[in-house]
Amino acid sequence: MWQSLLGRLRLRDINSGVYGGRWLDRPSGETIESLNPATGEVLARVLLGGENDYDVVAGNSLAAFAAWRKMPPPQRGEIVRLIGEQLRKHKDDLGMLVTLEAGKIRSEGLGEVQEMIDMCDFAVGLSRQLYGLTIASERPEHRLFEQWHPLGPVGVITAFNFPVAVWAWNAALALVCGDPVIWKPSQLTPLTAIAVQQLVNDILEPRGLAGVLNLCAADRDVGEQMAADGRLPLVSATGSTAMGKSVAKTVAERLGRSLLELGGNNGCIVTESADLDLALRAILFAAVGTAGQRCTTLRRLIVHESHAEQLVTRLTKAYQNITVGLPWEEGTLLGPLISESAVKQYTTAITTIKQQGGEVLCGGKQIDRAGYYVQPTIVRAKPAMEIIKHETFAPILYVLTYRELEEAIALHNGVPQGLSSAIFTDRFREAEQFLSPWGSDCGIANVNLGPSGAEIGGAFGGEKETGGGREAGSDAWKTYMRRQTCTLNFGKTLPLAQGVKFDVGV
Ligand code: NAD
């Protein structure tokens, strides 16, 4: 089945993971296998880029910048519109490839491509709205205003779990802002990245724009190289907090700009007044969807003590009804984890949970079948357990209980991460308290919906160890541009600001 898919996406003609204006024939990195996590089968072998290949790509994108920044933004928007159309045309195949390589169920694979399309649509509109302010000048016959200019090539480092959407969040904005992109995808998902590059090349190459979007599928060492590269004024990095700390430090050393989208440890409070039917449905998707491998996955459920027993009973029952299967099969709700090592992290976490006094209420084991499957797990946890402060990238849900809302909010905020959050309540005051400055400390806060599954129209990102970055909608575009404050004197005198006098006879 997948051989013909690879053919349609023109992946069989190519095994290079490096594109810098053209596919590099023999990149110098190692050859890796792209695996189907649902079966362990090899989908393809990909030649990764090494240090020198990256250098070629970076040089090429810098050259492309010289012309790209001169193109008026609405014309750049037109190119992004065509890219969006191209993705629409290939949505089905690309979505299936996401399913095959990342293990996402079919609707999520398609949803991921839809997110790319949505980002392109958003960016097309944005290309006519890259506006600055005009500010009242204190000086007569002066005009004070700000404008936004392209920044330069943007390095985009992405994680395996959104193998193509995160690229689009960055690339669509960067393009209309006038910045070329160098993409370093996760070494676990190189095929989807190569497929996207092939698709966008169809739009860029015939228009003489090769090199505006570039790819360097490579190991983390090239990611480190990008962080240190002064040619990249902005490095946008999505992945673990450990990776973000390393990137942030290296980029800061050269006083560059970094945009960080790192690990989450998301909580949901279910209050006494909550609609439990609604909460139950939201919890199931947020905790089990994507096999617990979303940055916004629900990991900590904080339930009012009056509902704890009932909710846990209903949840554990619903967990038994979750269809585990091949992710491309109709009806499957739970696919595999990404790798053997992810399974190991899950089983290690279960051991630690037990050592720290957690009670496994359901799940807790690897599933005995081909591929990297684990049981979705619910744990009765205690606030003192150290492990609940860490993100284990697997479907493990900790259940904690509370009496007073203040206590729930303190529990909720008492972790190092700050990405997404939710509360279920039918009381206006509780909802407002959760959204107040002394409520949730996360970048995303939802009422009566789960923490997972954001729309692209809002700015996406989180606080604390999640890194503080914002991507996608709202005014996230500003990170991809440099602001210039301009003053224009249309008079015949030269008044100085703040009334300073400096009169020299001339
Ligand atoms: P990871 O940190 O292992 O790898 C992410 C990317 O960073 C890969 O391309 C990798 O090669 C690269 N990398 C690793 N170390 C690096 C370094 N020192 N310098 C430069 N690049 C380096 O993450 P992963 O396992 O692929 O993804 C899962 C993690 O990503 C989770 O923590 C998840 O929460 C997070 N994530 C966050 C968001 C968000 O928007 N906040 C979105 C998706 C995933």
Side-chain angles (χ1 to χ4, degrees), residues 364-434:
K365 293 200 170 69
Q366 181 172 4
I367 300 176
D368 186 17
R369 57 180 288 161
Y372 313 123
Y373 285 81
V374 299
Q375 293 174 336
T377 303
I378 301 177
V379 172
R380 188 172 283 137
K382 300 184 189 121
M385 286 167 61
E386 185 55 31
I387 194 164
I388 66 174
K389 297 203 162 63
H390 300 277
E391 178 197 48
T392 302
F393 221 50
I396 301 175
L397 178 66
Y398 301 111
V399 182
L400 300 148
T401 54
Y402 78 93
R403 255 182 215 169
E404 303 296 333
L405 187 58
E406 287 71 20
E407 182 194 349
I409 291 174
L411 259 180
H412 176 275
N413 293 348
V415 293
Q417 307 82 355
L419 181 51
S420 190
S421 60
I423 190 168
F424 279 82
T425 178
D426 274 358
R427 290 193 190 124
F428 162 77
R429 284 201 178 91
E430 286 180 336
E432 286 291 349
Q433 196 171 335
F434 186 69

Side-chain angles (χ1 to χ4, degrees), residues 216-410:
C216 193
D219 229 320
R220 57 176 283 178
D221 51 341
V222 168
E224 287 166 9
Q225 198 182 345
M226 287 168 82
D229 188 350
R231 288 172 290 188
L232 305 185
L234 170 66
V235 177
S236 168
T238 299
S240 58
T241 294
M243 177 278 285
K245 283 183 178 168
S246 157
V247 168
K249 199 166 155 216
T250 310
V251 175
E253 250 166 37
R254 61 174 173 90
L255 300 181
R257 196 183 286 179
S258 51
L259 193 175
L260 303 173
E261 297 283 354
L262 312 176
N265 186 358
N266 315 291
C268 171
I269 299 175
V270 178
T271 66
E272 204 177 356
S273 70
D275 176 335
L276 287 193
D277 293 336
L278 197 66
L280 192 69
R281 289 206 301 275
I283 293 164
L284 284 167
F285 172 66
V288 183
T290 333
Q293 298 175 114
R294 279 191 188 223
C295 50
T296 51
T297 289
L298 172 60
R299 308 202 182 277
R300 297 173 302 124
L301 186 60
I302 303 163
V303 191
H304 190 267
E305 59 180 11
S306 60
H307 292 316
E309 217 41 58
Q310 193 203 148
L311 196 59
V312 163
T313 307
R314 290 181 69 184
L315 264 177
T316 42
K317 194 162 162 233
Y319 266 46
Q320 311 314 315
N321 295 333
I322 287 165
T323 316
V324 181
L326 295 170
W328 52 88
E329 277 179 4
E330 183 81 26
T332 297
L333 292 178
L334 183 76
L337 293 185
I338 189 68
S339 64
E340 188 65 55
S341 132
V343 173
K344 182 97 183 59
Q345 281 170 33
Y346 165 89
T347 49
T348 307
I350 299 293
T351 308
T352 311
I353 285 164
K354 289 177 183 162
Q355 283 164 355
Q356 292 183 1
E359 186 190 346
V360 176
L361 299 174
C362 72
K365 293 200 170 69
Q366 181 172 4
I367 300 176
D368 186 17
R369 57 180 288 161
Y372 313 123
Y373 285 81
V374 299
Q375 293 174 336
T377 303
I378 301 177
V379 172
R380 188 172 283 137
K382 300 184 189 121
M385 286 167 61
E386 185 55 31
I387 194 164
I388 66 174
K389 297 203 162 63
H390 300 277
E391 178 197 48
T392 302
F393 221 50
I396 301 175
L397 178 66
Y398 301 111
V399 182
L400 300 148
T401 54
Y402 78 93
R403 255 182 215 169
E404 303 296 333
L405 187 58
E406 287 71 20
E407 182 194 349
I409 291 174

Side-chain angles (χ1 to χ4, degrees), residues 178-201:
D179 306 331
V181 170
I182 302 175
W183 180 15
K184 194 210 87 59
S186 163
Q187 53 278 36
L188 297 170
T189 50
L191 266 194
T192 43
I194 294 172
V196 170
Q197 186 70 46
Q198 287 274 53
L199 293 175
V200 300
N201 285 349

